[in-house]
Amino acid sequence: MIRSPLGLRLGGTRPLKQAVLEGVAAGARGFVIDALGELSPDRLGESGRREVRRLVRSADAVWIALGLPTRRPFDTLDQLEDRLARADRAFALAYDLGTDLVLVNVGPVPPPEPVADASGSETPPPTASSSLVTPGGLILPPDLAAASAQRQRAQTTPRGPSRREIFETAVTELARRADHRGVRLALETGAETGRTLAEFLQALPGPPVFADLNPVALLTRGLDPVTTTRELAGYVAHAHAGDAVGLGHAGHRLPANPRGTGFAPGVLDWEEYLGALEEIGYRGFLTVLPDHDDNALETFRAVLQRVRDF
C-alpha cells in the first residue's frame, strides 16, 4: 500500500495561483517551488510571502519544500561566501512560506584526494590494514606504515584546502545556517551512488543533512533509483517521481537502464521504486517531476494513475 501523498513540482512558467489551483484540482496535495524569479528571496517581500503562504492554505494544500537552484558545485572557494549567503536567504524564505525543507543540488561529492609521497607523486593514503614498502625494500607493518605516511604528510609543503575539504566545509556550513533558520537541508541525488552519499552524510559534523531522491537525475547518469533508495535509508527527507525517458531527445542518448535487460533506457521501475520507499519507511510526499512545466498536469495525472495501480 502506497502511503505517500502526491505532490507536484512547479516550473514557474505559469502564474503561481493558476498552477496551484489546477494542481489541486488534479489531485496534488502539496507543491515544491524553486526560489527563482518573482519567488527569489531578494524579490519576494514580506507581504508577498504572506500571500504565497496563504495561497496553498486556502487550497487545502502545503508547500512541501523550496528548491534552491545552483549553477556551480560547492567544491571551490570562488564566490563561496556569496553562494552561502544566497542559500541563507533561501532558508529564511522557506521558513516564511511555511515549509521546513530546502532541496539543493550542491554538486557531486569529491573523492578523497590521494596523499603526495616524498617524491611528489600521489598515492592513496594507507588504510589501517595496508603495509608500506620503503625505498630500501623494507616492508613496514600496517601500524608503522600509517605513522610513516603521517610523517611524510607533515614534511610536505603546505597546500591549500582540497576540493573535498572545501565541499565538506561548505555543506556543513549550509546545514548550520539551515538549522539556524529552522529548516532542514536535503541534497539532491544523482551525482554519485547512494552508498557514497550516505557515507558522506554520516561523517558530517553538526546538524543532520538529508537526501532528496531524484530518480530522473539518477537514471540519466545510469544509477539505479531502487538501489539508491535502499542505500540512503534513514536519510531520505523527500522523494520525487518521474521517468527520464522524455529527456532522450535531440540526439541525446540515455545510458542503459541500471535495472538491466528488459528495461528501456530512462524508464523507472515503478513497482520496485515504490516498494523500496516502503521498505525504508518513507512516509513523506512523492512529488511528481514533469519534463516541462507545460505538461505538468498531464504528467501528474499519469503518475497518479500509475501509483493507484499499486
Side-chain angles (χ1 to χ4, degrees):
M1 179 180 179
I2 305 303
R3 298 180 176 87
S4 297
L6 282 186
L8 177 62
R9 188 153 190 166
L10 304 177
T13 60
R14 293 179 299 156
L16 183 60
K17 184 175 182 179
Q18 175 188 350
V20 167
L21 294 179
E22 291 177 347
V24 169
R29 293 295 170 259
F31 300 91
V32 173
I33 53 173
D34 291 331
L36 284 175
E38 296 296 328
L39 295 174
S40 65
D42 297 331
R43 299 180 65 177
L44 193 61
E46 185 176 344
S47 60
R49 297 181 186 206
R50 288 197 300 267
E51 182 179 349
V52 171
R53 184 168 183 164
R54 284 196 299 264
L55 173 61
V56 291
R57 284 184 173 180
S58 63
D60 196 24
V62 298
W63 290 122
I64 302 168
L66 179 71
L68 177 60
T70 57
R71 296 180 180 178
R72 302 169 57 192
F74 282 75
D75 61 357
T76 173
L77 292 175
D78 186 30
Q79 297 182 325
L80 178 59
E81 185 53 47
D82 291 340
R83 287 180 285 153
L84 290 173
R86 176 174 175 262
D88 189 44
R89 295 192 295 272
F91 298 151
L93 172 61
Y95 182 85
D96 290 343
L97 295 183
T99 179
D100 70 341
L101 186 63
V102 177
L103 314 176
V104 186
N105 184 350
V106 294
V109 177
E113 296 199 358
V115 178
D117 61 23
S119 65
S121 62
E122 292 186 342
T123 57
T127 64
S129 60
S130 61
S131 300
L132 178 69
V133 179
T134 68
L138 178 64
I139 301 178
L140 297 180
D143 55 343
L144 294 181
S148 175
Q150 185 176 5
R151 287 195 298 271
Q152 287 184 12
R153 289 195 296 269
Q155 293 169 2
T156 57
T157 303
R159 59 172 178 79
S162 66
R163 288 177 53 238
R164 173 81 176 209
E165 292 168 337
I166 295 172
F167 188 82
E168 289 178 348
T169 300
V171 174
T172 300
E173 178 62 14
L174 284 171
R176 186 193 68 80
R177 296 190 185 199
D179 184 69
H180 178 72
R181 295 292 188 179
V183 299
R184 297 173 296 156
L185 173 68
L187 309 186
E188 181 181 303
T189 61
E192 59 276 309
T193 66
R195 184 178 300 276
T196 296
L197 181 57
E199 291 174 350
F200 173 76
L201 297 179
Q202 185 178 22
L204 287 176
V209 180
F210 301 92
D212 167 31
L213 284 173
N214 186 334
V216 174
L218 290 164
L219 287 167
T220 56
R221 292 169 176 84
L223 298 172
D224 183 11
V226 177
T227 301
T228 300
T229 299
R230 293 176 176 138
E231 291 175 339
L232 285 168
Y235 291 102
V236 179
H238 179 255
H240 282 96
D243 283 338
V245 65
L247 302 179
H249 54 76
H252 175 67
R253 184 176 180 180
L254 290 168
N257 194 299
R259 302 301 291 169
T261 304
F263 294 91
V267 174
L268 178 66
D269 187 338
W270 286 88
E271 184 172 7
E272 290 292 327
Y273 179 57
L274 296 174
L277 290 172
E278 285 285 302
E279 287 178 24
I280 68 171
Y282 178 73
R283 295 293 181 267
F285 273 86
L286 190 62
T287 301
V288 176
L289 186 63
D291 294 338
H292 306 285
D293 202 33
D294 55 4
N295 72 343
L297 293 178
E298 177 184 350
T299 304
F300 179 85
R301 293 189 183 100
V303 172
L304 177 62
Q305 184 58 52
R306 188 180 294 266
V307 170
R308 282 176 175 171
D309 291 341
F310 296 109

